[in-house]
């Protein structure tokens, strides 16, 4: 059975990915800065499934935090890795907050790169990596402007994913950028078109279909390949 690590698994879409993979009897490692009651419950599951391994206190913006995670997991091997941790803040041209923009870049762009670079030696050859991005990072699809920090950070993480797809190809590790849809989570203030459960199910369908031919591509959870 596969071992899958979800980065940012304490709430929202990340938690749903953990929960659904747990139900599919994956060996799941869930990282987060701070756990939640729902995630804690999965770490003590007695329903015949493997309890989720919780790695709390992981900050994707800190080199030493990611290095410590890699050291704790040094005897594990990962088949799959999905980086779901992210932040969304709003800025307009009339209300720019450059500290906020930098923070989103640190979490949404450098965070996935830091984690994947830090644990890539734990990945089995032929494994899969998913990066949670957004169609708001698409240059072609930007028809409304605004949201500078979020758009910049998601556009940048898309090119991070493409570079990783090239750099990891010799190990037959596939990398995909995934847009979850407009999901009703804390991040979106409860607004959206999809519940987290449905988004996670669709994302896992896309992830299951991933192979080297599709490595470096950018997909909507509903199966649409998105423009850059």
């Amino acid at each position: 059975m596969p071992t899958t690590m979800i980065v940012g698994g304490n709430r929202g879409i990340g938690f749903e990915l953990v929960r659904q993979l747990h139900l599919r009897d994956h060996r799941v490692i869930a990282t987060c800065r701070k756990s939640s009651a729902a995630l804690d419950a999965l770490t003590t599951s007695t329903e015949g499934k493997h309890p989720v391994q919780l790695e709390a206190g992981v900050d994707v913006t800190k080199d030493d935090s990611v290095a410590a995670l890699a050291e704790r997991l040094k005897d594990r091997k990962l088949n799959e890795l999905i980086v779901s941790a992210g932040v969304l803040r709003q800025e307009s041209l009339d209300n720019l907050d450059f500290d906020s923009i930098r923070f989103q870049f640190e979490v949404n762009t450098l965070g996935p790169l830091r984690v994947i670079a830090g644990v890539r030696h734990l990945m089995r050859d032929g494994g899969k990596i998913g990066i949670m991005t957004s169609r708001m990072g698409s240059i072609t699809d930007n028809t409304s402007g605004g949201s500078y920090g979020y758009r910049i950070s998601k556009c940048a993480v898309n090119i991070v994913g493409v570079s990783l797809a090239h750099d990891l190809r010799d190990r037959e590790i596939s990398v995909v950028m995934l847009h979850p849809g407009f999901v009703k989570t804390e991040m979106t203030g409860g607004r959206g078109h999809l519940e987290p459960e449905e988004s996670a199910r669709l994302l896992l369908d896309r992830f299951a279909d991933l192979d080297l031919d599709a490595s470096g591509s950018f997909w909507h959870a509903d199966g649409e390949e998105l423009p850059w």
Side-chain angles (χ1 to χ4, degrees), residues 2 8 32 34 48 57 64 75 87 104 114 164 167 171 178 199:
C32 55
K34 184 178 180 181
D64 56 353
D75 295 326
V87 292
Q104 288 174 92
R114 182 176 285 110
L164 287 167
D167 289 339
R171 294 182 55 196
L178 293 167
S199 175

Side-chain angles (χ1 to χ4, degrees), residues 4-181:
T4 306
M5 184 160 75
I6 306 296
V7 178
N10 59 326
R11 62 189 178 95
I13 298 165
F15 171 74
E16 268 304 312
L17 292 171
V18 170
R19 189 183 70 83
Q20 293 187 30
L21 287 168
H22 170 71
L23 290 174
R24 298 180 189 191
D25 210 24
H26 285 227
R27 296 182 186 272
V28 183
I29 302 169
T31 86
C32 55
R33 285 188 303 160
K34 184 178 180 181
S35 191
S36 61
L39 181 55
D40 286 343
L42 294 183
T43 68
T44 57
S45 173
T46 57
E47 298 177 2
K49 308 294 183 184
H50 291 284
V52 170
Q53 178 178 334
L54 174 61
E55 292 291 340
V58 176
D59 186 339
V60 301
T61 71
K62 304 296 184 184
D63 294 350
D64 56 353
S65 183
V66 173
L69 171 69
E71 175 62 21
R72 291 195 299 274
L73 298 178
K74 63 183 179 182
D75 295 326
R76 303 295 301 274
K77 285 295 183 182
L78 305 177
N79 303 93
E80 301 170 344
L81 167 63
I82 301 177
V83 183
S84 182
V87 292
L88 167 63
R89 296 178 178 177
Q90 297 288 354
E91 304 88 17
S92 69
L93 192 57
D94 296 323
N95 185 32
L96 290 176
D97 181 339
F98 287 98
D99 287 338
S100 174
I101 291 170
R102 290 187 190 95
F103 180 67
Q104 288 174 92
F105 187 79
E106 188 68 50
V107 175
N108 296 342
T109 305
L110 299 185
L113 177 58
R114 182 176 285 110
V115 170
I116 294 166
V119 304
R120 69 187 187 279
H121 62 287
L122 304 178
M123 293 290 301
R124 293 188 183 278
D125 291 354
K128 298 181 181 184
I129 295 174
I131 297 174
M132 201 70 68
T133 181
S134 171
R135 71 185 308 158
M136 289 182 72
S138 166
I139 295 171
T140 303
D141 195 60
N142 185 351
T143 60
S144 60
S147 301
Y148 285 89
Y150 194 69
R151 288 189 187 279
I152 289 167
S153 65
K154 292 301 188 179
C155 184
V157 82
N158 286 346
I159 198 64
V160 164
V162 173
S163 289
L164 287 167
H166 288 297
D167 289 339
L168 296 173
R169 183 171 287 271
D170 62 344
R171 294 182 55 196
E172 298 187 343
I173 295 175
S174 304
V175 182
V176 68
M177 281 58 73
L178 293 167
H179 168 61

